[in-house]
Amino acid sequence: MSTYQEFIQQNEDRDGVRFSWNLWPSSRLEATRLVVPVSCLFTPLKERPSLPPVQYEPVLCSRANCKAVLNPLCQVDFRAKIWACNFCFQRNPFPPSYAGISEVNQPAELMPQFSTIEYIVQRGPSAPLIFLYVVDTCLEEEDLQALKESLQMSLSLLPPNALVGLITFGRMVQVHELTCEGIAKSYVFRGTKDLSAKQIQEMLGLTKPAAPGQQGHPVAPQEAAASCRFLQPVHRVDMNLTDLLGELQRDPWPVSQGKRPLRSTGVALSVAVGLLEGAFPNTGARVMLFIGGPPTQGPGMVVGDELKIPIRSWHDIQKDNARHLKKATKYYEALANRSAVNGHSIDIYACALDQTGLLEMKCLSNLTGGHIVMGDSFNTSLFKQTFQRVFSKDHNGDFRMAFGGVMEVKTSREVKVCGAIGPCVSLHSKGSSVSENEMGIGGTNQWKLCSLDHSTTLGVYFEVVNQHNAPVPQGGRGAIQFVTMYQHSNTQKRIRVTTIARNWADAQSQIQHIESSFDQEAAAVLMARLGVFRAESEEGPDVLRWLDRQLIRLCQKFGQFNKEDPASFRLSESLSLYPQFMFHLRRSPFLQVFNNSPDESSYYRHHFVRQDLTQSLIMIQPILYSYSFHGPPEPVLLDSSSILPDRILLMDTFFQLVIYHGETIAQWRKAGYQEMPEYENFKQLLQAPLDDAQEILQTRFPMPRYIDTEHGGSQARFLLSKVNPSQTHNNLYAWGQETGAPILTDDVSLQVFMDHLKKLAVSSSS
Amino acid sequence: AFGQVRTPQPGYAGPYPGQPNYGAPAPAPAPAPAAQKRLDPDTIPSPIQVIEDDKAKTTEPFTTGVRGQAPPLVTTTFQVKDQGNASPRFVRCTAYNMPCTSDMAKQSQVPLAAVIKPLATLPPDETPPYVVDHGEVGPVRCNRCKAYMCPYMQFIEGGRRFQCGFCSCVTEVPPQYFQHLDHTGKRVDCYDRPELSLGTYEFLATVDYCKNNKVPEPPAFIFLIDVSYNAVKSGMVNIVCNELKSLLDLLPRENPEMDSVVRVGFVTYNKVLHFYNVKSTLAQPQMLVVSDVSDMFVPLLDGFLVNVNESRQVIESLLEQIPEMFADTRETETVFGPVIQAGLEALKAADCAGKLFVFHTSLPIAEAPGKLKNREDKKLIGTDKEKTQFQPQVGFYNNLAKECVAQGCCVDLFLFPNQYVDVATLGVVPVSTGGSVYKYTYFQAQTDQERFLKDLRRDVQKQVGFDAVMRVRTSTGIRATDFFGSFFMNNTTDVELAGLDCDKAITVEFKHDDKLSEETGALMQCAVLYTSCSGQRRLRVHNMAVNCCSQLADLYRNCETDTIINYFAKYAFRGVANNPTKAVRDTLVNQCAQILACYRKNCASPSSAGQLILPECMKLLPVYLNCVMKSDVLLPGADVSLDDRAYLRQLIGCMDVTDTHVFFYPRLLPVMKLESGSLPVALRDSEERLSKGGIYLMETGLHLFLWVGASVQQELLLNIFGTPSFSQIDPNMISLPVLDNPFSQRLREIIDSFRAQRSRYMKLMVVKQEDRTELIFKHFLVEDKSASGGASYVDFLCHMHKEIRQLLS
């Protein structure tokens, strides 16, 4: 392998893992001096078409507190039929079924190319997937109609044996019974009353109260499941359900002038969670919540029904003026945790022009691995296509979703795991490989991912615990094993095992090597995740200050410079882009709340902590393509200087896709040149970014907001707010350049940022 | 001097052999002269004689113009002409000559009361009350006492002012109401205006008389059907659903040509409640289950209360499906409190008044507000704790009733119990809201269906007013102090009725608070403000004027025993919830004795102490009072359940004089010879009057018996039953066979006419002499000694005489 670039790429393709450092400093002290922790982005279910799952159970190390899975790094004595665990060095005999192995007849899990391997295990009965729709009926007629159609359509996309249920809510919460003939039957709950899971199950008639005299005879969950009239196989009830959805009316309770409709989202969710909890614990289930506005009554209420009192803004929150915020957040967190314990995930599809309370409700999806989709209306292609894409299938015809994932991390002795950041909850499993130093969700080596897909990516943070004076650990390599158990969408139980190893390096003698093993893209994303994680609980400026300190320290560590001489500052190639990422990260909506509503911030952060490296990088630093007559489309700097009159720009920020027509192009387009046969090439130029955008739209989840704008258009702000403001009204004339477009902002440009960075890095006082 | 009639009892002189125990104090050791011979019943006052005499006496229509004129008895058929006082069909008084002073009243002990049936149905040949519309100004009223314009108002100063007959306050006549007076001081338009010339009329009320100053919404009927195991199994659910399909076309309306504006809603329940959305746009009804019974709410607004015509298809589909849906139910527990709450909440949400029809089977033992336990305890009978059994078990229903009344939510309860259901508690809400309780113990579809359906039909169709307030105003000197009936009172003057139907009567007791004058008499005005079934707010006004007397004899000459008995019964039945039953019975006997002793002392001409002298108008007081004393409520037999007693108690509470009369002294007709056009003369309720060879029809207002003697002629049996043999008569038959002979036709006609007169359907029971069921029949032969220890008429009269003598000596 020739370069680290290729090594990194290969590792990502094979194992779905990107480490910040690909050579590990051999002691704790050195590791801390590297500023960026040893950490990785790990995609547990990375799509591997070339990896057929094996049909047997993994072989585990027999030491009770190890249980690592046999992997290519293990030393094997083929003659004695014994293998040594590379984590605890326990020597284990092979199970009898492995009697026939030899050097030439090795099981797959011992081959180096199978550092990632997937086992299909036959354990217990396979449970069907469950989809529980929770639908807000306080929508405008048009929206409700569109939503109903989308839901009806989705029935045809569900696996036929999947169980499906319907809860609707407005002022009241209705749980619909799906099996009834003739009269449609539903159970109604008051939208203002918080009920315990037990009460909900009793009221739904799911538990039979113990007959007097024979107490202690709880109904077995299977029995409850069998008698659950609210969740039924799609193939059996799709007609009923289609009709039911068709007859769904807007919430009939009158809404007087100046009021919001009463929306009992909190109770509806509580009922949904309680229903699944009672009937189907520990099975793959998705609660899909569709809302068209904020919860306005009962527990989990985000804003009152008085329209004259607007929903909380960041300003209110900073002023501690958001009345319902804490209570609602606490309520939804409790629900999210209950749901996570049972392995059920909660999606939120929020479509409204105003905020819908995502800030309070985000934990529902964040903790359970559910999706959050935010749009203006259910009657938009953004929602319709995104929703459709939830049910997309892979090349095997299986859904791109998995359930009930449990990811376990095993480490060799010199490394301990500090935590993870992603759509997961801690399982509080304290093992020997758990560090006391928490980063992200820590204190455990097992995390639950109630729902995950091929792109779900966790940031996992480690700590080197080897003492400074101890020698480089024997074997020279540190190893980490990720064991991910999950329920495949075809209901199989599977275990995917990824075992990776990295070399140790003495940071004093081999600092150059370590530096060149730095994966600045991964590091940027990993540091960004840490920043976003902090931003959830800390004040914005504190996070930025922390991020700045880290960057300065990193530059001090690896930059080459003469003391107190900013001009002499240089960074090696492996770090050269890192400051730029940080610059854009500082400006990103993940850390800046200005100009974003609390809901938007929550939405952006939600997606940021779960996407894979490529997408995350796009989010941090959007991609800008330029189209012109001068040549093929080319990526250009995300800089105001790239905005030229004779160019068309295509910007991808992950959340938005902006096509921007430069001044001249826009004029031409207005004049209709593209319609004239002699300007065929202009027509093609106009078409080119559209085609490219289409390609991105095809694959992205959730569907980005698609913006077609031009110079001077109001929507151009999406582009102008992202580019590096190298030209502003402040420096336009000083720079005296004729190209580019000035941005009306007081934000510092990348140039200024870098100048400051250099100054601080070379300063001896900091 | 006042037509006083003595009823000397020649052979009678004191105690008699075999004195029964009827709860009176132990007999004083009175002298016992030689009269060992049993008293001849024919010599003591006969109810039948009195009834027949009154019938014979009444030949002309009764005109109400003359103050203080007692109307014919309730047993007499007569026509009424309203000439300034309310018809006796609306108001009957105990005394038409009221004593002028409270001392007199105290001395006589005659209760001063009126039985008012504000919305009574009039016979077809009498005009219903006129409706007066004064436009936006509303009714003209006295400035001080707020009495409504009536014939007792005296116009003065050329018609510019009027003086109130009740409080004497002078009020300006509103300009638009002004009219000149003629030479007698009457208004020129006197006979054009019902409120100036009639005893009963209605005003259209303005918005000032409406709740929240808003014209009321049309009322709604909500049907709440128990669908627990017992309800389904007895066939009740099926029958109700089937019946409702046709019944919904018969909802009350003011104009028979128009569709009713009453909206309907449906709920079924067992341990949980099922609401139904029957919106006209739906293809199928929708069921909404509310299991949160601890905190009731209405799950839907739009589509719950609907217009029958618009939603007909959906409703019919629903009524088809309800019996099917619950056919296999195994749920036996029911709730009750939440059911009423549900109806109440629905009415609240729709912002209207209305009526709940609850069809319920069992003691509500499921965990919910208003949960009850079985507390029937026969051992308590006769003890001081007996009264607790008539009190509600929990306070919950009292509070609920209060809420219902505030909303104008009237509750009618149909009970189908197989065991104790605690009528005393379940009845709290119906009784306080002006509703009715119907009880069908051991309901079986086959035998009880007809009775239930007839009751239900009548109950749904009958004229009813909602959200009513009744106020009785009186002239200075007397005051309405106590009220008996189905209603709720928040203060001492306003009788609040969530619903008031044409069968409900309210007994009002008056007391003196000053002197009355013979000149002006005593006036009373009963005004009922209510919402009609079409949603119109109206005021019905009944005016009544009686004479006042300063001589006791005048009082005794002009009073009405039937009304006094109505008052006594209600007074006593209410009392059993607060006093030991024995004390209540003693009070009755004492008061009666005092009334009669006062007469004897002050009005009768001197005669020997051994003579019992009764006032003519009250000569039946002892026999009727004995019937009250022997009723199941005051003297229960061994087989009478607590529920039965509580049920009767509530039933009597809202009966009018006609109802109480026939209930306490049943009508017994010999039907061996029938003529068309007239009924045979009734017999006294005593076994001695029955002949083995006869057939007798008896009605009590609740029961209907056909007693067949053991040696009836075969021809008669053939004519009635179609069988010549006594033994072949099926005692379980519920209706007589339809036979094509004049006798059978006439008998069935009579039975039908009896049923038509009563507000509840009477199930026919054929009683064969010497048969097991004869015991039930004999219970109603009220002149005889009863199995539960009640005295015979003769014995009671003797006892009464003794009491009187004791008082006199």
Side-chain angles (χ1 to χ4, degrees), chain B residues 35-96:
Chain B
Q36 293 300 324
K37 178 178 98 190
R38 191 161 154 65
L39 195 59
D40 177 6
D42 281 330
T43 59
I44 56 178
S46 153
I48 302 302
Q49 193 58 47
V50 171
I51 290 168
E52 291 301 321
D53 287 351
D54 191 70
K55 275 184 186 163
K57 199 174 74 185
T58 310
T59 49
E60 285 173 10
F62 177 72
T63 54
T64 66
V66 186
R67 193 173 78 189
Q69 192 187 22
L73 294 182
V74 288
T75 41
T76 303
T77 315
F78 60 98
Q79 208 197 359
V80 182
K81 290 209 166 122
D82 186 344
Q83 292 189 347
N85 283 312
S87 154
R89 305 192 200 287
F90 295 119
V91 184
R92 274 187 182 266
C93 299
T94 53
Y96 288 86

Side-chain angles (χ1 to χ4, degrees), chain B residues 418-431:
Chain B
N418 283 339
Q419 53 199 3
Y420 177 71
V421 286
D422 201 342
V423 174
T425 309
L426 296 191
V428 166
V429 179
V431 165

Side-chain angles (χ1 to χ4, degrees), chain B residues 293 296 335-342 364 368-371 396-397 400 426:
Chain B
V293 286
M296 206 55 221
V335 294
F336 186 74
V339 178
I340 293 177
Q341 283 177 325
K371 173 185 167 172
F396 170 81
Y397 291 100
L400 183 57
L426 296 191

